[in-house]
Amino acid sequence: MPTTAFGQLEGAMAALGHWEPLVRWKASATLGRLADGDPSVAQKLMEALDDPQDEVRAGAARAFGFSEKAGGDAAIKRMFELLVKDRGVTVQAAAAETLIARADGAGALIDPLLDVFKTRRPGSKRTSSILLVLARLAPKASASQKRRIMELSIAQLSRAPTGALGALRALGPEAKAALPKIRAYRETADRYRRDYIDSHVLPAIAPPARKQ
């Protein structure tokens, strides 16, 4: 059994449910690195994704983000399921973080993530997490997928501004049609959002002309 900073492997697994967030984060990082070289660790993490405790599920999900390939496509599929179905907000966020970290293997999720909104109305935090994943996957999207991401982001600006603005920024000039909606939202946003829009979103979508 591999030895970790927590002692034996089981100690690191147990630490996924620790009361201290930093301990949980370190356990996830340790297990993610171990899982790349030991399929049995990846299997233990997959099993932990069904744990009744939110913190354990989130920690196990996050561990796959510290891994380059552990769990393969099966891990990507489970992250999708956690993101769109799990009741725990921390679990949803951890699954999104892992999909962002392993975006190279998650391109096939663009349509399924967009299709979630055809049949349900996810809560604002889940919506924001989904949009942040779509933002990371945007470079892999087709023209029609990018249009759908833009339309979804516009529709969710008020409910999930962090994710919506992140996705629109990621689309860059291809989100030019969204500028009127972004500017209208800006008028009602708080100072933090206005600064983000002015400093990052608008320059990404409509870069200022270069001085000759």
Side-chain angles (χ1 to χ4, degrees):
M1 184 175 294
T3 298
T4 74
F6 298 89
Q8 295 298 313
L9 174 62
E10 294 302 327
M13 291 296 301
L16 292 177
H18 197 274
W19 63 271
E20 171 58 53
L22 181 58
V23 173
R24 296 198 300 270
W25 185 90
K26 288 181 177 178
S28 294
T30 297
L31 291 164
R33 289 190 291 267
L34 287 174
D36 267 332
D38 188 341
S40 69
V41 178
Q43 181 57 40
K44 285 181 177 293
L45 289 170
M46 291 290 278
E47 293 168 1
L49 295 175
D50 295 316
D51 193 276
Q53 187 178 348
D54 285 5
E55 289 80 5
V56 174
R57 296 198 307 283
R62 189 170 291 110
F64 284 104
F66 285 104
S67 165
E68 293 184 6
K69 58 185 179 181
D73 291 342
I76 298 297
K77 180 180 178 181
R78 287 292 280 121
M79 294 307 110
F80 171 79
E81 293 171 350
L82 292 172
L83 176 56
V84 304
K85 297 179 181 179
D86 198 276
R87 68 183 184 277
V89 172
T90 57
V91 183
Q92 298 161 24
E97 290 171 15
T98 289
L99 289 174
I100 290 168
R102 294 180 60 169
D104 286 347
L109 295 181
I110 295 174
D111 280 333
L113 287 170
L114 289 165
D115 289 345
V116 168
F117 295 86
K118 288 182 176 180
T119 57
R120 68 186 84 172
R121 190 171 186 261
S124 60
K125 291 186 177 180
R126 191 192 304 272
T127 295
S128 192
S129 290
I130 291 173
L131 285 168
L132 289 173
V133 175
L134 288 169
R136 180 65 179 83
L137 298 177
K140 300 177 178 293
S142 66
S144 62
Q145 288 173 329
K146 289 177 179 178
R147 184 172 60 252
R148 291 180 68 193
I149 293 172
M150 181 186 70
E151 292 169 351
L152 174 62
S153 299
I154 291 172
Q156 300 297 331
L157 263 173
S158 296
R159 291 186 69 243
T162 298
L165 291 171
L168 290 167
R169 177 189 180 189
L171 291 171
E174 291 174 277
K176 192 172 182 179
L179 286 173
K181 295 291 186 181
I182 295 170
R183 289 175 175 137
Y185 168 74
R186 183 193 179 282
E187 295 305 310
T188 66
D190 59 29
R191 181 177 177 181
Y192 169 79
R193 302 286 182 202
R194 292 197 303 271
D195 286 347
Y196 180 70
I197 290 169
D198 292 344
S199 300
H200 300 286
V201 181
L202 294 179
I205 297 174
R210 292 184 179 180
K211 294 182 180 180
Q212 297 297 326

